[in-house]
Amino acid sequence: MAYKNLSVTYGAFWHGIWQPGRIEPNRRLYDYELVWFSSGAGRVIIGDKVYKCLPGSVIIIPPAVVHCTVADTAVERWCIHFDWYGDCPFHADNSGKESYFVYDDQGDSLFVPSLAASAPGFPAADFPYFCRSVPPEVYEYIRTFFQICASDRLSAIGHLMLVLGAVFNAKRTHFESPASVLLKAKSIIDREFSDCTTTAGSVAASCNVSINYLNTLFKRNLGVSTTGYILSRRLEYACTLLSDSSMTVKEISALCGFNDHNYFCRLFKAKKGVTAGEMRKETAV
């Protein structure tokens, strides 16, 4: 069976944070809207279904359906309006962001179904299309899209296609959830922090994710960067060795994964408030 060639184009796009408790009025779209939740928790209500969205969730909302979004916590969302063939009738004469949808409290008669974008002519998915969690590269594609969409439309369309491809493939491919990636990375660090070759980059590579994505997981859930967590484990171990070992401070710094003894000394004083030698004397008393 032959399908019409895709010619994906994008319209309005928006990124921002909603405060807890915000409830969007019911509305209908003239095109498709891809929404990625990068932090927080919220719900998208469409028809008789409620889609619970967490960090990493993606939902694609089709035209004409009544829907609304609820922020259960402070939620950060990235929204891209698009159509599949570049032929959405409403786009031709309406370029303003607010024109891409109609709120029901304005009156149902304002929405003109014949001006909505046509559905893709391939059995890729049923809409609304929801993924509880998508691969980490989607984050990079969306961030890049927002960086270039105003200046390089052709490249932006390419990145939007990458986003759509990764989202549609997500349900057919096994990948680790954000929580699994975090626990895996933390386990690697907990085992190997004393190895001087253990870095944020090496841990990210072992988990098959980018450093930026891994840092986001650590900061969001543990309050520190990946490197910050590695250093904290090394300093904790150093404190243990200072109280239980007769080794020199230089020997201890090397055993804890520090190649540079002077850096270890500066970092120890900055984080602990005393020098390593002073702590040894305190614990010996």
Side-chain angles (χ1 to χ4, degrees):
M1 178 179 180
Y3 296 113
K4 184 179 177 182
N5 291 329
L6 293 180
S7 181
V8 173
T9 60
Y10 62 90
F13 46 87
W14 179 85
H15 162 238
I17 297 176
W18 278 11
Q19 296 306 307
R22 178 169 177 176
I23 303 174
E24 178 184 57
N26 290 357
R27 68 180 194 173
R28 302 171 191 236
L29 304 172
Y30 278 109
D31 52 12
Y32 287 77
E33 183 181 22
L34 181 145
V35 184
W36 177 60
F37 287 73
S38 57
S39 67
R43 287 166 286 154
V44 178
I45 304 171
I46 305 176
D48 59 354
K49 293 185 178 180
V50 177
Y51 300 89
K52 296 182 179 179
C53 300
L54 300 173
S57 295
V58 167
I59 187 166
I60 299 177
I61 305 168
V65 299
V66 177
H67 67 281
C68 75
T69 301
V70 180
D72 295 318
T73 68
V75 294
E76 183 177 20
R77 301 183 308 140
W78 306 66
C79 308
I80 305 173
H81 287 256
F82 69 97
D83 62 3
W84 297 99
Y85 303 112
D87 61 357
C88 176
F90 194 78
H91 286 183
D93 300 316
N94 298 273
S95 58
K97 180 175 66 174
E98 299 300 326
S99 300
Y100 287 77
F101 46 80
V102 173
Y103 289 112
D104 268 14
D105 59 10
Q106 298 171 328
D108 290 348
S109 60
L110 293 179
F111 186 85
V112 183
S114 62
L115 297 181
S118 54
F122 56 91
D126 293 327
F127 294 99
Y129 187 88
F130 176 67
C131 286
R132 180 78 65 186
S133 183
V134 293
E137 60 264 26
V138 171
Y139 170 83
E140 305 294 343
Y141 297 153
I142 290 178
R143 288 295 299 269
T144 301
F145 171 88
F146 273 80
Q147 290 169 0
I148 66 176
C149 56
S151 60
D152 189 346
R153 190 170 183 86
L154 182 60
S155 294
I157 289 173
H159 279 82
L160 176 56
M161 292 289 284
L162 289 173
V163 172
L164 293 171
V167 169
F168 283 122
N169 196 47
K171 289 186 177 180
R172 295 190 294 270
T173 305
H174 173 73
F175 61 91
E176 293 183 277
S177 68
S180 296
V181 172
L182 176 65
L183 290 176
K184 180 178 180 179
K186 186 175 177 298
S187 293
I188 292 172
I189 295 171
D190 289 343
R191 292 193 312 267
E192 303 175 9
F193 66 85
S194 61
D195 186 336
C196 64
T197 64
T198 297
T199 64
S202 69
V203 175
S206 296
C207 296
N208 295 314
V209 298
S210 70
I211 295 177
N212 288 339
Y213 179 73
L214 193 61
N215 277 332
T216 297
L217 294 182
F218 268 82
K219 289 179 180 178
R220 180 185 297 150
N221 295 282
L222 302 182
V224 295
S225 66
T226 312
T227 298
Y229 184 70
I230 294 171
L231 293 176
S232 70
R233 288 306 315 270
R234 288 174 176 170
L235 291 178
E236 289 173 7
Y237 188 41
C239 290
T240 299
L241 294 179
L242 285 167
S243 62
D244 297 338
S245 172
S246 60
M247 291 185 293
T248 66
V249 172
K250 188 172 185 178
E251 289 171 334
I252 288 174
S253 68
L255 195 60
C256 293
F258 291 95
N259 281 326
D260 187 335
H261 173 62
N262 291 327
Y263 172 67
F264 164 76
C265 291
R266 292 194 302 271
L267 182 67
F268 194 97
K269 177 67 181 296
K271 296 296 185 181
K272 301 300 181 181
V274 295
T275 67
E278 289 170 341
M279 176 166 283
R280 165 164 276 171
K281 291 178 182 178
E282 290 178 2
T283 57
V285 174

